[in-house]
Amino acid sequence: MTVSPPEQPAIVVRGLSHYYGERCALRAVDLDVRRGEILGLLGPNGGGKTTLFRVLATVCAPQQGSVRILGDDPKRDLAAVRRRLGVVFQHPGLDGLLSVAENLRCHGAMYGWTGRRLDERVVAVLQRLRLEDRANERVATLSGGLARRVELAKGLLHQPELLLLDEPSAGLDPGARREFMDHLTHLRETEGLTVLLTTHTMEEAERCDRVGFVHRGEVVALGTPAELTATIGGDVVVITAHDIDRVRAAVGERFGYDLRLVDGALRLETPRGHEFVREVVEAFPGDIQSVTFGRPTLEDVFVHVTGQRFWDQAAE
Amino acid sequence: MPSSAIATVARKELTDGLRNRWVWIVSMLLATSVLVIAFFGTATVGVQGVRGGGALIASLMNLAVYLVPLLALIMGCGAIIDEKQRGVLDLILVYPISTGEYFAGTFLGFALALAVAIVSGFGVAGVVLTLWSGVEVGAYVLLCGLALVLGVVFLGLSFLLSLLSRDRTRAVVASLFVWIGSVFVFDLVLVGVLIATGGELPSGLFRALLLLNPTDVFRILCFKWIGSSASSLGLSTLTEFVPSTALLAGVLVAWVVVPLCLSYALFQRRVANDTLT
């Protein structure tokens, strides 16, 4: 096991490619995850983020390129890397026939924790995640939100330096989702934990320190939510119309803008969106169905970078 | 290979098994069947009450031939496939334990749960029979032990079926085919071959064919060790040849080891190729 200096990134990925048969799932990905940050990988299903997650979680070996996790090469010392990783998968990884405490004890034993040390750690984690009153309940009887919290407790039990979460809020209602992110933020602040999570919810991504867009096997954008939204110059205006091509041509001719047609709507990024909205409505009152404008969101950044709407991709 | 990881996985699987009500239902079914055979098995020939001796042991041996492989196959065919379908295998594979430790622990845990089901089923009935009629305890215990070995053989086969199947439904169907094949079809085919050849099948070939079926090996061992009524022991008594204990034990061990080795090789290959999860 290599003890890496604190300034060294927790994860360093260089030129990582992965194939399923002929299909390229990851295409020469480069990525650094800094220590103590929460990095969100945002992208539609099939974009490659789950494959990237599985390589980082050491479920599958890198086919091309290199991966260093906490300073170690998983190809050289897999067990050492795994001992320092906490992984929570999208699918429930709990044994429904066992109680919450039994699940945690079993998990701890897999990492070589035994006896009093394990018992004390189980109690500590249950308290931290406010699960102590559920310790003896069978997991099968818990709600989705509570079960997810137990998953997080499992992931943290062996005191990992790096926590990997695959779609952690899948199946949770908005309240439970916010609570889950609150737990993560608290852990990062109190224990300096490094967290990498995959998500396709904008709300979750906006609470990360940095966000990377994964699209068609590549990390197409990476930065803080503020940095990413700042790449769009001003406001985002979206126009819908019955005859979208005619309106596109007319607006272009009148105002000199080249509007992008994305999923049946015209999009324009402009510093003075409110003025453009007024002018365009006055110019084409009978042709326009709706006009919206607002400050750019991460979804707008995704459209800006990929030319495609996020949710259409996510639904594929 | 540290034994603690194997023990941890085995303990988890055993706990799961003991909390699975189907294990206890089958165990009770086994106990009830033993008692029903003991108390009413001779009613058709006008004898009431408990039968003792070799006839009872032979009947119980036939019961074991039907129920124990079925129990083992149904228990074990979900061993890997259930974890795979629930998506739990991913998590197991990122633990700092080897695939060998996980595989060995899982098999050990399932085998222990199977042992609890078989021993408790036969055990409860055995206590009742001993108190009631004075059953041959030594023969009865030996039968339980051999039934357990038979169960472990089919548990190994069920692991192989689990890894060869795409989902649990297919694994269950494949298990039923294996059960029917081993318990019913194999002997019928052998009888058919004997009839077709006018009994001219070389005796060496016939003996070798008998050893290919673990239930027949189990019957021969019962015949050899317990000495039950030969009339109840099926095809295994058609030959005067009784293989040595070492050969029979070796064949049974091979029936455990070979499917398990194949299962493990398949498991490792699918983990390495990332086609399991």
Side-chain angles (χ1 to χ4, degrees):
Chain A
M1 185 179 86
T2 308
V3 179
S4 51
E7 65 275 11
Q8 194 177 44
I11 297 175
V12 180
V13 176
R14 292 290 177 266
L16 178 66
S17 296
H18 199 90
Y19 294 85
Y20 294 108
E22 295 291 306
R23 191 174 70 81
C24 180
L26 292 175
R27 204 183 302 272
V29 168
D30 291 337
L31 178 72
D32 285 359
V33 180
R34 299 169 190 156
R35 284 183 184 261
E37 76 169 342
I38 300 179
L39 179 84
L41 292 177
L42 183 70
N45 293 333
K49 65 181 190 304
T50 297
T51 302
L52 179 54
F53 182 91
R54 287 168 65 78
V55 172
L56 297 178
T58 71
V59 174
C60 50
Q63 292 173 347
Q64 289 175 17
S66 69
V67 172
R68 292 191 81 82
I69 298 170
L70 300 165
D72 281 326
D73 181 353
K75 277 184 174 172
R76 286 195 184 155
D77 196 350
L78 190 58
V81 170
R82 286 178 170 176
R83 268 191 289 275
R84 300 164 76 192
L85 274 185
V87 185
V88 178
F89 287 95
Q90 184 179 353
H91 298 290
L94 301 169
D95 190 326
L97 291 171
L98 302 184
S99 71
V100 171
E102 285 171 334
N103 264 285
L104 294 181
R105 274 194 209 100
C106 181
H107 179 85
M110 296 287 194
Y111 285 87
W113 290 55
T114 52
R116 197 169 165 183
R117 180 178 173 235
L118 175 60
D119 290 340
E120 287 174 357
R121 181 62 187 159
V122 167
V123 170
V125 170
L126 287 172
Q127 282 173 347
R128 172 168 282 278
L129 291 166
R130 290 187 282 114
L131 286 164
E132 60 267 44
D133 55 335
R134 307 281 184 166
N136 297 316
E137 288 183 26
R138 280 201 191 178
V139 163
T141 65
L142 299 180
S143 69
L146 277 172
R148 211 66 186 137
R149 226 191 291 168
V150 178
E151 300 262 14
L152 182 58
K154 257 179 87 171
L156 294 169
L157 186 91
H158 57 287
Q159 296 181 315
E161 294 166 55
L162 171 63
L163 185 63
L164 304 176
L165 304 158
D166 189 16
E167 307 275 358
S169 63
L172 298 187
D173 59 50
R177 200 179 297 159
R178 271 194 296 277
E179 192 183 20
F180 193 85
M181 284 305 290
D182 288 343
H183 280 301
L184 283 187
T185 308
H186 180 68
L187 285 166
R188 193 274 309 272
E189 286 166 359
T190 55
E191 297 184 9
L193 189 68
T194 306
V195 179
L196 179 140
L197 59 88
T198 68
T199 182
H200 58 244
T201 70
M202 298 295 165
E203 182 194 8
E204 214 163 65
E206 278 161 5
R207 294 196 59 181
C208 295
D209 298 320
R210 288 195 304 151
V211 177
F213 285 114
V214 183
H215 180 63
R216 293 185 177 166
E218 295 179 69
V219 178
V220 292
L222 180 67
T224 66
E227 285 168 354
L228 289 172
T229 51
T231 58
I232 296 179
D235 302 318
V236 176
V237 179
V238 179
I239 301 170
T240 62
H242 288 300
D243 191 345
I244 202 81
D245 292 329
R246 196 174 68 76
V247 170
R248 185 185 190 190
V251 171
E253 191 178 324
R254 173 83 178 258
F255 298 102
Y257 289 132
D258 182 19
L259 276 68
R260 289 173 88 177
L261 181 60
V262 179
D263 193 35
L266 297 173
R267 296 177 68 95
L268 176 70
E269 292 148 14
T270 174
R272 303 186 66 78
H274 61 289
E275 290 177 4
F276 174 70
V277 169
R278 181 173 50 77
E279 288 167 3
V280 82
V281 169
E282 284 174 0
F284 307 101
D287 297 322
I288 290 175
Q289 271 184 299
S290 69
V291 182
T292 60
F293 95 101
R295 301 297 301 160
T297 64
L298 287 176
E299 187 179 358
D300 294 319
V301 178
F302 184 83
V303 174
H304 177 78
V305 173
T306 66
Q308 291 173 325
R309 281 191 66 201
F310 183 81
W311 288 110
D312 295 336
Q313 292 283 305
E316 277 178 12
Chain B
M1 186 181 285
S3 60
S4 62
I6 296 174
T8 301
V9 177
R11 198 179 307 120
K12 175 195 163 298
E13 296 298 349
L14 176 62
T15 310
D16 276 354
L18 297 183
R19 288 183 187 175
N20 185 342
R21 65 176 179 274
W22 284 106
V23 170
W24 295 109
I25 288 172
V26 173
S27 181
M28 283 195 305
L29 178 69
L30 197 57
T32 307
S33 303
V34 170
L35 292 175
V36 166
I37 285 173
F39 279 91
F40 303 113
T42 54
T44 52
V45 290
V47 179
Q48 287 185 327
V50 178
R51 290 189 301 169
L56 173 61
I57 295 295
S59 297
L60 296 183
M61 185 215 65
N62 276 325
L63 176 73
V65 164
Y66 290 121
L67 281 188
V68 170
L70 186 63
L71 171 63
L73 285 167
I74 297 300
M75 265 180 80
C77 73
I80 307 287
I81 207 99
D82 279 354
E83 309 280 44
K84 175 179 136 186
Q85 280 189 282
R86 284 170 50 223
V88 179
L89 258 188
D90 269 342
L91 182 62
I92 291 165
L93 295 177
V94 300
Y95 283 134
I97 63 172
S98 68
T99 50
E101 287 170 325
Y102 166 70
F103 193 84
T106 302
F107 185 76
L108 183 61
F110 270 78
L112 288 172
L114 178 69
V116 170
I118 291 173
V119 170
S120 59
F122 272 109
V124 168
V127 169
V128 173
L129 289 176
T130 306
L131 293 174
W132 197 278
S133 68
V135 72
E136 294 172 42
V137 175
Y140 190 84
V141 170
L142 195 53
L143 177 67
C144 287
L146 285 173
L148 189 55
V149 174
L150 183 66
V152 173
V153 167
F154 279 88
L155 191 63
L157 283 169
S158 73
F159 268 53
L160 184 58
L161 295 173
S162 178
L163 278 158
L164 288 170
S165 306
R166 273 169 38 206
D167 53 52
R168 188 184 172 92
T169 308
R170 286 179 171 85
V172 169
V173 171
S175 298
L176 289 176
F177 274 111
V178 167
W179 179 69
I180 291 168
S182 177
V183 173
F184 299 106
V185 177
F186 189 88
D187 281 5
L188 286 177
V189 169
L190 273 191
V191 169
V193 170
L194 278 176
I195 292 170
T197 58
E200 294 299 313
L201 197 66
S203 62
L205 178 61
F206 181 68
R207 293 166 200 153
L209 287 174
L210 274 180
L211 294 181
L212 285 180
N213 185 3
T215 55
D216 280 326
V217 177
F218 169 75
R219 283 189 176 113
I220 297 170
L221 269 174
C222 286
F223 175 66
K224 186 176 169 67
W225 285 354
I226 305 174
S228 306
S229 304
S231 59
S232 305
L233 292 174
L235 273 182
S236 54
T237 58
L238 282 181
T239 173
E240 291 176 355
F241 167 77
V242 179
S244 68
T245 300
L247 176 63
L248 290 168
V251 170
L252 272 189
V253 168
W255 267 108
V256 176
V257 171
V258 173
L260 267 185
C261 288
L262 288 174
S263 307
Y264 180 58
L266 196 58
F267 179 68
Q268 267 199 318
R269 200 179 72 184
R270 293 182 68 178
V271 168
N273 294 340
D274 196 26
T275 56
L276 190 62
T277 55

